[in-house]
Amino acid sequence: MKAITVTDPDAGTAGMTLTEQPEPHLSENDVIVRVHASGFTPGELTWPATWIDRAGRDRTPSIPGHELAGVVTELGLGTTGLTVGQRVFGLADWTRNGTLAEFVAVEARNLAPLPADIDFVTAASLPISGLTAWQGLFDHGRLRSGESVLVHGAAGGVGSVVTQLAREAGAYVIGTGRAADRETALGFGANEFVDLGADDLASAGPVQLVFDVIGGDIGDRSVDLVRAGGTLVTIAAPPTRQPDGGRSVFFVVEADRDQLTQLAARVRDGRLRTSIGAVRPLGDAVAALNPVERPKGKTIITPWP
């Protein structure tokens, strides 16, 4: 099968190559999915799991990509909840070959049925951003109606979904980002917008919940914006200190079939939309994932015509 592979952890996306690879083999509780659309997060090339297996052994050449939508073609021993021919979407396993390929082997529990009225491209743009937003807001942030939320990167892939879910839950949302992102963030539902290049970030607090996707100096300064009893949730890096009278949580997104189903229901009825940019075939993936300019929206790769 055709697949995008990487072999050099220091090369970044420039080290991607289109190659021929063996088709994946089924393990217990796996399914084989014919990938119809795949998402990719550039940061995954810095994750140790991209380069080593669960036992810590080198597994290059690695196939990156973890978001997928496609059709089940084979079932492994012990698989439950899915059938051959079923449309599915979800997350590939972190320490195994990923979704920038024609076929992928995935633990069945990482996938959810894909309703017929959601196209593959839309579905492939949803798992990481959607699950990250859901888990950060509700599992770790314990968000309740009427609370205030500061969302960094509110126009981005994760931040835009955080903004929409938080507004649906009855929160007051303050989005942040670059000046050029203002209208996009407000369009996704932010009540206010803070330009990180010109506005005073301190004026945005205090809030009940900060959702940080940036880290660094922005993440450090955001600790002081959390009111007593509030939470800073971050996916950027473990926080260096706790908010005064509050708490901070760093987490890595996990696959969850029930949450994927909840997200799909919101896409179907128009409560949730994702930010999709370029859609390119697998043969153009290397160029598409090494853009000359900052992409607007998530790039989706489609292995089959």
Side-chain angles (χ1 to χ4, degrees):
M1 69 173 182
K2 291 182 172 60
I4 300 297
T5 57
V6 290
T7 58
D8 182 358
D10 297 323
T13 56
M16 289 180 162
T17 307
L18 180 64
T19 62
E20 286 286 340
Q21 294 293 313
E23 292 190 9
H25 296 288
L26 281 169
S27 296
E28 191 173 354
N29 300 317
D30 276 355
V31 297
I32 300 293
V33 178
R34 177 171 173 164
V35 180
H36 284 255
S38 171
F40 169 74
T41 302
E44 72 184 65
L45 297 185
T46 67
W47 303 343
T50 299
W51 308 99
I52 57 176
D53 64 16
R54 289 173 179 166
R57 298 168 298 201
D58 178 89
R59 65 178 185 87
T60 57
S62 301
I63 301 173
H66 292 287
E67 296 173 289
L68 77 148
V71 175
V72 175
T73 60
E74 294 182 60
L75 301 177
L77 193 65
T79 299
T80 59
L82 299 176
T83 59
V84 171
Q86 187 169 21
R87 302 169 86 247
V88 293
F89 76 116
L91 286 178
D93 308 295
W94 302 124
T95 55
R96 300 169 67 187
N97 278 335
T99 62
L100 292 178
E102 293 177 319
F103 295 92
V104 63
V106 187
E107 285 194 61
R109 63 179 181 173
N110 292 357
L111 302 172
L114 176 62
D117 53 356
I118 300 179
D119 64 87
F120 290 120
V121 169
T122 298
S125 72
L126 185 60
I128 286 182
S129 59
L131 291 172
T132 299
W134 188 283
Q135 292 165 19
L137 286 174
F138 306 123
D139 296 346
H140 302 294
R142 305 170 187 170
L143 181 68
R144 296 180 180 178
S145 179
E147 294 182 337
S148 54
V149 182
L150 179 69
V151 182
H152 287 311
V158 173
S160 62
V161 179
V162 173
T163 297
Q164 293 171 83
L165 292 179
R167 279 297 303 272
E168 182 195 0
Y172 185 89
V173 178
I174 305 167
T176 80
R178 306 180 186 187
D181 296 330
R182 179 183 299 273
E183 294 307 315
T184 301
L186 295 174
F188 278 116
N191 298 95
E192 298 180 32
F193 182 81
V194 175
D195 177 357
L196 293 176
D199 298 332
D200 179 14
L201 179 59
S203 67
V207 296
Q208 185 68 27
L209 174 63
V210 172
F211 200 120
D212 175 36
V213 301
I214 299 175
D217 177 63
I218 296 297
D220 290 340
R221 287 193 282 150
S222 296
V223 173
D224 297 323
L225 304 181
V226 178
R227 69 173 73 233
T231 306
L232 181 142
V233 172
T234 179
I235 60 172
T240 57
R241 59 191 178 94
Q242 298 290 317
D244 187 18
R247 64 192 184 98
S248 58
V249 178
F250 168 75
F251 77 100
V252 176
V253 64
E254 298 179 356
D256 187 296
R257 181 178 290 175
D258 290 339
Q259 291 174 4
L260 286 168
T261 300
Q262 293 269 15
L263 292 164
R266 285 162 170 77
V267 171
R268 294 183 73 189
D269 63 21
R271 285 178 288 165
L272 180 64
R273 58 190 173 93
T274 58
S275 180
I276 299 172
V279 180
R280 297 286 185 268
L282 188 62
D284 295 340
V286 174
L289 297 173
N290 285 275
V292 176
E293 299 179 354
R294 180 189 178 209
K296 294 182 179 180
K298 191 174 192 69
T299 299
I300 300 296
I301 303 302
T302 55
W304 301 93

